[in-house]
Amino acid sequence: MSKRLNKYAVDLKSIKKSIFSSPGRDIPSGIVVFLVALPLCLGIALACGAPLISGLISGIIGGIVIGAISQSDISVSGPAASLTAVVLVAIQSLGSFEVFLLSLTIGGMLQLLLGILKAGIIADYMPTSIIKGLLAAIGIILIFSQIPYALGIEQNSRLMDYSRNFILYPPDIEMILGSLAPGALVLTIISLLILIFWDKTFLRKIKLLPPFLVVVILGVFINIFFKFFIPSFYLEGTHLVNIPSIDALSSFFAFPDFGAIGNINVWTYGFTIAIIASIATLLAIEAADNLDPHKRISPPNRELIAQGIGNTLAGLIGGIPITSVIVRSSVNIEAGAETKLSTIIHGILLLASVLVISSVINLIPLASLAAILLMVGYKLASVSIFKSMYARGWNQFIPFIVTAIAIVVTDVLLGVLIGTAISIFFLLRGNYYNPFQIERIKSKEGEKIRLELSNEVSFLNKPAIKKTLWNLPENGEVVIDATFSTYVEPDVIELLHDYKDTFAKENDINITITGLRESYHSDAKLDLIKEPYVKKEISTPEEILDYLKQGNQGYVAGNLVSRRLRNKELMDFIRDAPLATVVNCLDMREPLNMLLNSGIGDLIPIKAAGNLMGTHLIHSTEIACRKQGARLILLMGNSGNSFIKDALECHLAGKDSYLQPLIAPALASGEFSEERLRTEQINALADSIVLWNLKLSVSSIIQQNEYIKEEVTKGNLGVCSGFFNRETGKIDFSPLYQVNGKN
């Protein structure tokens, strides 16, 4: 028992240490979050049709209770805008706020149960594009919803409706100009300037005084200045924060009506609150973790437990539904919070504001808070975020932009569901098009088609496999390689057998299936089909060159075929004659087998600095062909050759260089005049000299080696060059060298 107590004491000590590790950042952040949360708590309660004090109760519980239980360092919980419609309808349907509190209590207990059952795992499967779309949408909504407060528009103005439906109802500029408050506009501009330029001045070194807090304090004093010196700019009434006064503690709480426990609607709304609040919370903590500069991870199941306890307590003492909320969490992160001390402090300040300092808080202009939220909204929905998502490709950008638009037009949950549906579509589409890689092997006997199945093949891949196989030509030869598939769906296995046993036979298709297991269950016996790996039957230089061209096309298209082999097959394959010897520059370190999509043992690499062939290298090339059986000599240059470029720079600067011999033959040819060297860009010159060296080396091989010349004349051996473009990955091949004709 004593060991348990000691362990508990150690754990408690470590928790305290982590919470109080950065008070200099967390305390100011907590103050800023409190100032932002205060009007939001009141506004959401108003939107729910609940007593205003219920919003503050939930804010206090979200800060102190959930903040203490949760293991999220930067997430802030409080009244949830995503549940306002549900709460409003529930209160009206159930007939009283007290009966609604019973539903909330039930919903909280159901949430607690979901956390205990570890239902929070669904948060791990939320795509990044959806999370970023959610954040961008929240940013857009924040910007437009704060415009009326930033301009000082009266709360009964039509612009307040516009701020909630800005997509459907464009603003009336004349109406805006006629109803704005100049004092609010001035405060907003001053506040925005402070927030924008704060980090560009010496003020950024003052860690204990964050710019958000400065904006709020300065807003109060500027408004007091307006009162005495520019009365027409003075803001009062609806332009200021308004906390209701509490005359007695009994008026602070409300309690659930347990007499309605048998009402089915009470349970229905309780279940609805539990599901929506849980999903909203999981989305919010995922988004907050995404914004966290330290990229810490919040345990989702622990968060559901904390939220369940918080909502149960809110139902018992008169609050409204609570979730982790993105706006307050974003402000918390932007204000520099490091631990959950910040959210606890914000809850304590909410409590104090109700009991002690409501008169002081009511001096804060809403325009100052609006400026803070405008900056937070811009950072969530900045142009750079849209550009970065666009750069990731359509499969990321479309779900992102659809999610953002759907949330703005509808609401958070429906928008996320729409975005998730789009993501699933792209997932299915990706699975449809990527169940295998196709290689077409040409030989004297005809064309063989080889399909290498992916690492995992599920029922989602079945339509693509079926479409491909059933559209193959008659009288063909097909190899299906499942050697490196760790899982193949039983439906796909059955499909392959149906194709082999029926369709292939009826259409004279010679099919070989290798590496396919009859069962992929973890406890099943591995029963590999012992069919040989089909080797390429390519013999002529023309066929080899076509094979390498097709391989590079596959590389450029991202359609690489893995030619990994088992041990015995690997040794057999290497013992076969290679296809080609490839001579490339020392500067080129890219893997040839990948660039040419060739098999193991297909190529013999030889290195020649600057792509210039000397006597020894030409003799080595002869040995590769004469002794090992290569039928093609490929001299390959590459763009951006650093050796050639350095030699050129030294030459232009009048300096001696050990690399000078690499460019000397080209410069002596007369094709590269001094004027051209001075006017043409260095990279283009380097590429031109590489091409010149390749042409010289091809000629040198033929002229200086009688064996190679004779074999090329007979058509038994081919010589050509290739130029590899490092930017595109494409290799431009020259035609095979003709001894008695033009190249």
Side-chain angles (χ1 to χ4, degrees), residues 676 680-689:
R676 180 180 178 184
E680 194 170 333
Q681 289 186 350
I682 191 73
N683 290 329
L685 278 173
D687 291 352
S688 297
I689 290 178

Side-chain angles (χ1 to χ4, degrees), residues 699-716:
S699 178
S700 298
I701 288 175
I702 300 296
Q703 300 303 323
Q704 296 179 28
N705 191 284
E706 287 298 322
Y707 170 81
I708 293 176
K709 183 176 181 179
E710 183 178 350
E711 292 299 302
V712 170
T713 304
K714 293 178 181 179
N716 297 329

Side-chain angles (χ1 to χ4, degrees), residues 143-220:
I143 291 171
F144 281 92
S145 65
Q146 295 307 305
I147 289 176
Y149 300 105
L151 299 179
I153 305 298
E154 293 290 340
Q155 292 190 21
N156 58 0
S157 168
R158 285 192 297 116
L159 186 60
M160 300 303 294
D161 295 328
Y162 150 72
S163 71
R164 300 180 180 90
N165 303 281
F166 52 87
I167 295 295
L168 302 177
Y169 304 104
D172 185 340
I173 302 299
E174 186 177 341
M175 180 268 293
I176 293 176
L177 295 175
S179 58
L180 63 80
L185 183 59
V186 170
L187 272 180
T188 300
I189 293 173
I190 293 174
S191 300
L192 287 174
L193 289 174
I194 292 172
L195 296 173
I196 292 170
F197 293 104
W198 183 274
D199 287 337
K200 300 178 182 179
T201 67
F202 71 93
L203 295 172
R204 69 181 185 277
K205 298 180 181 179
I206 307 175
K207 300 300 183 183
L208 295 178
L209 197 62
F212 288 144
L213 186 57
V214 171
V215 163
V216 171
I217 296 172
L218 190 61
V220 173

Side-chain angles (χ1 to χ4, degrees), residues 1-26:
M1 183 68 177
S2 61
K3 289 183 178 180
R4 283 188 178 182
L5 290 174
N6 289 335
K7 181 178 183 298
Y8 176 78
V10 171
D11 290 344
L12 187 60
K13 183 179 179 181
S14 64
I15 291 172
K16 286 183 177 180
K17 182 179 179 181
S18 64
I19 291 178
F20 296 104
S21 60
S22 302
R25 298 176 68 89
D26 290 331

Side-chain angles (χ1 to χ4, degrees), residues 615-682:
T615 303
H616 178 70
L617 288 176
I618 293 175
H619 186 59
S620 297
T621 306
E622 176 191 348
I623 294 172
C625 300
R626 195 168 189 169
K627 174 67 177 174
Q628 294 192 292
R631 307 297 297 275
L632 177 70
I633 300 171
L634 172 63
L635 287 88
M636 193 184 319
N638 58 275
S639 65
N641 190 306
S642 62
F643 295 174
I644 303 295
K645 185 178 177 181
D646 289 348
L648 278 170
E649 289 175 344
C650 289
H651 174 79
L652 293 172
K655 299 178 181 178
D656 291 331
S657 171
Y658 67 96
L659 297 172
Q660 183 68 20
L662 302 183
I663 63 174
L667 298 185
S669 69
E671 290 189 23
F672 298 86
S673 64
E674 285 298 319
E675 182 181 357
R676 180 180 178 184
L677 293 176
R678 299 290 177 186
T679 57
E680 194 170 333
Q681 289 186 350
I682 191 73

Side-chain angles (χ1 to χ4, degrees), residues 190-398:
I190 293 174
S191 300
L192 287 174
L193 289 174
I194 292 172
L195 296 173
I196 292 170
F197 293 104
W198 183 274
D199 287 337
K200 300 178 182 179
T201 67
F202 71 93
L203 295 172
R204 69 181 185 277
K205 298 180 181 179
I206 307 175
K207 300 300 183 183
L208 295 178
L209 197 62
F212 288 144
L213 186 57
V214 171
V215 163
V216 171
I217 296 172
L218 190 61
V220 173
F221 283 104
I222 290 176
N223 196 41
I224 294 173
F225 173 83
F226 288 159
K227 181 177 182 181
F228 292 102
F229 297 99
I230 315 177
S232 61
F233 279 29
Y234 178 62
L235 301 173
E236 57 184 336
T238 58
H239 296 296
L240 303 177
V241 171
N242 182 23
I243 300 177
S245 59
I246 303 298
D247 298 327
L249 195 61
S250 59
S251 63
F252 189 75
F253 299 112
F255 305 100
D257 181 1
F258 288 100
I261 193 71
N263 187 339
I264 188 64
N265 289 331
V266 168
W267 289 89
T268 300
Y269 283 114
F271 181 81
T272 303
I273 290 169
I275 296 300
I276 296 177
S278 298
I279 294 174
T281 288
L282 294 176
L283 288 171
I285 63 167
E286 190 75 15
D289 289 346
N290 192 278
L291 293 173
D292 183 9
H294 303 296
K295 300 304 176 186
R296 292 165 289 189
I297 298 176
S298 304
N301 296 313
R302 177 60 174 259
E303 190 67 28
L304 286 181
I305 290 173
Q307 297 289 335
I309 294 172
N311 275 315
T312 302
L313 181 59
L316 290 173
I317 64 174
I320 53 178
I322 305 169
T323 70
S324 175
V325 279
I326 300 172
V327 175
R328 274 156 273 188
S329 300
S330 303
V331 171
N332 194 37
I333 295 167
E334 287 296 326
E338 290 288 335
T339 74
K340 61 183 181 179
L341 175 63
S342 174
T343 188
I344 295 173
I345 287 174
H346 119 273
I348 294 172
L349 290 176
L350 283 174
L351 178 61
S353 68
V354 173
L355 301 178
V356 181
I357 58 172
S358 60
S359 59
V360 176
I361 300 299
N362 287 344
L363 296 175
I364 299 173
L366 293 177
S368 298
L369 300 180
I372 294 173
L373 293 176
L374 285 173
M375 282 299 296
V376 172
Y378 173 75
K379 290 188 176 183
L380 292 176
S382 65
V383 175
S384 61
I385 292 174
F386 285 82
K387 286 183 177 179
S388 66
M389 293 304 297
Y390 179 77
R392 293 189 178 190
W394 291 111
N395 61 335
Q396 289 285 311
F397 181 71
I398 292 180

